[in-house]
Amino acid sequence: MGRTPGRKIYAHAKLRRLRAEHGMNQVQLARVLGISTSYLNQLEHSQRPLTAPVLLRIAEALGVEPEFFSEADEERLATDLRAALADEACGAPVPTGEAAEVARDHPEVARALVALHHRYRDASERVAALASPDAPGASAALLPAEPHDDVRDFFYAHHNHFGPLDTAAERAAEDLGLDSAHRAADVLRRRLAAEHRIKVVRAAPGSATDTRRLDAASGLLFLSPWLTAGQQAFQLATQLALLEQGELLDALVAGGGLSSPQAVSLARIGLANYFAGALLMPYTVFLAAAEELCYDIEVLQARFGVGFETVCHRLSTLQRSGRRGVPFSFLRVDRAGNISKRQSATDFHFSRLGGTCPLWTVYEAFSAPGRILRQVAEMPDGKRYFWVARTVTRGGFGHQAPRAEFAVALGCELRHAHRLVYAAGIALDDPRAATQIGLGCRICERRDCAQRARPPAGGRLSVDPDRRTYVPYPVEVALDSRPGAVPRAAEDG
């Protein structure tokens, strides 16, 4: 359920909202659950934690999975809210504990504040673009700023798992006799020809930069001549999803709250890619192989005939109710720190404010191309994660052809690390083995980080011409709302 063993679960706002949606008052729900009204009232106000028997009764009575009460969404929302309130425009920092309380007890208010902050940031960027002497024109500057960010948030909100797509892809794979990408390209070519009268042809080398292009008028689907067999199968599967799963793609996108036609179109493409991965790596078969092989990415890559990044992405989607894999977070970055993919089945938060942490092993991967690096990382709240990272390269077919190099990382909470082949030889229980990282300098609470690139929100800079510290941007007082915490002076870092 996405929580640390022994950690108490509180129902609070979620239970109140569920009860209201079912049109029940406290007396009625208490009677259904076989508990006292006063006990239910305490549950709804976070005064008592949920016990396992009551949790199961609530799930059955109100028609939800027990995982509904996982704190992963709440922790994500609290971090999003902290990031929004750390913006200089807010004027004053908000203690971490207060942001967590708002996210826990008033989630709709928290979501509204986060959405308001996103709109403020977008509006600020557009105003800056209009004011710039290099702006191409008002009409261009007023377009929605980043539809790609909208789509990443859409996938993030769904924990990177779309059950209906997985089910449809698994059914299609069974009908087509597929269980990997090794021979899938030929099968999918025949399917496109027989059902859609589309002929797959190889594009002439150097004639275009397209990986895949459908000419609907002629019924020709052009594929790049440089694709491997697995890449061909993936592109054909994506095209098949767009042709045969249109209604399902539209239904999934419809409730996503996407803000522009461009974002809607990008989300449909992303879901079609999701279907393609699920078709070539069917859920049940792939999860069984992953568990058998202890999540060895390179062996899975060879068994299913797809690329390293594709396997990582698929591993981050295995969250089917009742049959879950390790809940992974997945991201892809470039050398400049730009995140071009970020998905998570956990509460891990990818900061949109102030950049990410340079101490994260995903950035070290660029100094060791092609090698898998491992890291135990500890967040400021004490939660620890296990990460693996490696570089991947795209393009480069020919001496002068442009190449794109990225680093991809796959991580999980440390309590799952023993299930991974990569954890062998690492002292998982030794806190000294953990690298202390953060979500981004602006919202990171650490005061002793020599790598800090921006002052932290929540502290006043200590400016002393007669003193030089190893820690950039020392602060006089750091706000810390954790129980028993006291303000720390600049001497602490």
Side-chain angles (χ1 to χ4, degrees):
M1 286 181 56
R3 66 185 188 277
T4 303
R7 188 173 179 176
K8 295 179 179 179
I9 309 172
Y10 289 90
H12 41 265
K14 290 182 178 179
L15 183 53
R16 293 199 301 270
R17 186 169 68 249
L18 271 178
R19 177 173 58 77
E21 289 173 355
H22 284 74
M24 305 171 73
N25 59 35
Q26 285 188 341
V27 174
Q28 292 169 325
L29 181 57
R31 186 179 300 119
V32 170
L33 298 177
I35 60 177
S36 68
T37 305
S38 62
Y39 179 35
L40 178 60
N41 184 66
Q42 290 174 324
L43 291 176
E44 289 192 358
H45 289 85
S46 301
Q47 295 172 357
R48 296 277 295 274
L50 282 172
T51 62
V54 173
L55 173 61
L56 293 175
R57 272 181 264 166
I58 291 173
E60 182 179 358
L62 300 182
V64 296
E65 295 284 344
E67 288 81 5
F68 176 81
F69 293 100
S70 167
E71 294 181 344
D73 286 334
E74 179 185 299
E75 292 179 1
R76 286 184 177 196
L77 181 59
T79 307
D80 282 336
L81 183 60
R82 285 171 49 213
L85 297 178
D87 196 299
E88 291 91 338
C90 292
V94 176
T96 301
E98 292 186 15
E101 288 177 9
V102 173
R104 182 191 68 200
D105 297 329
H106 305 285
E108 297 306 321
V109 173
R111 291 189 186 95
L113 288 171
V114 171
L116 185 63
H117 177 255
H118 286 174
R119 293 191 184 99
Y120 159 74
R121 298 285 294 184
D122 288 344
S124 298
E125 290 171 1
R126 294 179 210 176
V127 169
L130 284 169
S132 171
D134 300 322
S139 60
L142 290 174
L143 288 174
E146 291 291 346
H148 286 86
D149 277 343
D150 245 5
V151 175
R152 291 181 195 125
D153 289 343
F154 167 70
F155 276 84
Y156 186 79
H158 284 82
H159 298 268
N160 199 31
H161 176 73
F162 296 87
L165 269 183
D166 260 313
T167 300
E170 197 164 27
R171 188 181 303 119
E174 185 176 350
D175 292 342
L176 293 168
L178 299 179
D179 60 2
S180 72
H182 288 294
R183 294 177 296 278
D186 290 337
V187 175
L188 294 173
R189 280 191 179 89
R190 290 195 293 270
R191 173 78 174 193
L192 289 168
E195 299 295 330
H196 305 282
R197 297 183 179 179
I198 291 175
K199 182 180 180 181
V200 180
V201 297
R202 173 176 170 168
S207 63
T209 58
D210 299 322
T211 302
R212 167 179 51 85
R213 180 175 64 85
L214 175 64
D215 186 335
S218 65
L220 297 178
L221 178 62
F222 295 91
L223 292 184
S224 167
W226 310 117
L227 299 180
T228 65
Q231 291 169 334
Q232 290 179 42
F234 189 91
Q235 293 303 322
L236 294 175
T238 300
Q239 192 67 60
L240 194 68
L242 294 169
L243 291 168
E244 298 186 356
Q245 303 295 329
E247 290 186 8
L248 180 53
L249 300 181
D250 291 337
L252 292 171
V253 168
L258 298 165
S259 61
S260 68
Q262 294 93 336
V264 169
S265 296
L266 285 171
R268 287 185 89 257
I269 295 170
L271 291 172
N273 288 333
Y274 184 107
F275 178 91
L279 183 68
L280 302 179
M281 293 168 280
Y283 195 101
T284 303
V285 173
F286 185 75
L287 176 59
E291 292 283 355
E292 174 196 346
L293 299 170
C294 299
Y295 293 85
D296 192 315
I297 300 169
E298 291 169 308
V299 179
L300 288 168
Q301 179 184 351
R303 177 174 292 191
F304 287 89
V306 293
F308 187 90
E309 180 182 337
T310 304
V311 171
C312 289
H313 187 279
R314 183 57 173 149
L315 287 172
S316 73
T317 69
L318 303 179
Q319 293 301 297
R320 177 179 287 174
S321 180
R323 187 160 175 74
R324 300 177 187 273
V326 171
F328 285 112
S329 298
F330 166 74
L331 80 156
R332 186 182 72 186
V333 303
D334 63 19
R335 286 180 178 273
N338 301 304
I339 297 178
S340 51
K341 287 185 179 181
R342 54 177 172 87
Q343 281 100 26
S344 181
T346 73
D347 61 344
F348 190 85
H349 178 83
F350 300 105
S351 176
R352 294 181 60 178
L353 181 65
T356 53
C357 183
L359 300 178
W360 207 353
T361 192
V362 67
Y363 297 111
E364 186 182 354
F366 289 107
S367 65
R371 286 179 51 202
I372 294 179
L373 303 184
R374 306 173 294 172
Q375 180 186 53
V376 175
E378 182 177 303
M379 303 303 291
D381 63 1
K383 186 174 290 187
R384 287 185 288 166
Y385 294 84
F386 185 77
W387 289 95
V388 295
R390 202 198 81 173
T391 56
V392 295
T393 304
R394 291 187 172 184
F397 303 104
H399 178 65
Q400 295 181 324
R403 289 173 174 80
E405 187 178 33
F406 301 97
V408 295
L410 198 66
C412 63
E413 290 185 26
L414 194 63
R415 61 194 175 95
H416 299 291
H418 68 280
R419 299 166 64 182
L420 313 184
V421 66
Y422 304 103
I426 293 182
L428 298 177
D429 296 329
D430 187 350
R432 295 172 298 179
T435 301
Q436 295 188 339
I437 69 171
L439 294 173
C441 290
R442 184 61 182 162
I443 60 173
C444 181
E445 297 97 337
R446 300 195 189 283
R447 303 295 184 255
D448 56 352
C449 178
Q451 193 70 55
R452 179 174 288 282
R454 291 193 67 192
R460 187 172 60 185
L461 279 177
S462 174
V463 182
D464 185 350
D466 296 321
R467 182 184 180 214
R468 171 68 176 175
T469 71
Y470 285 105
V471 179
Y473 309 107
V475 294
E476 293 181 353
V477 177
L479 294 179
D480 195 336
S481 61
R482 290 173 295 182
V486 295
R488 289 177 288 181
E491 284 75 15
D492 293 327

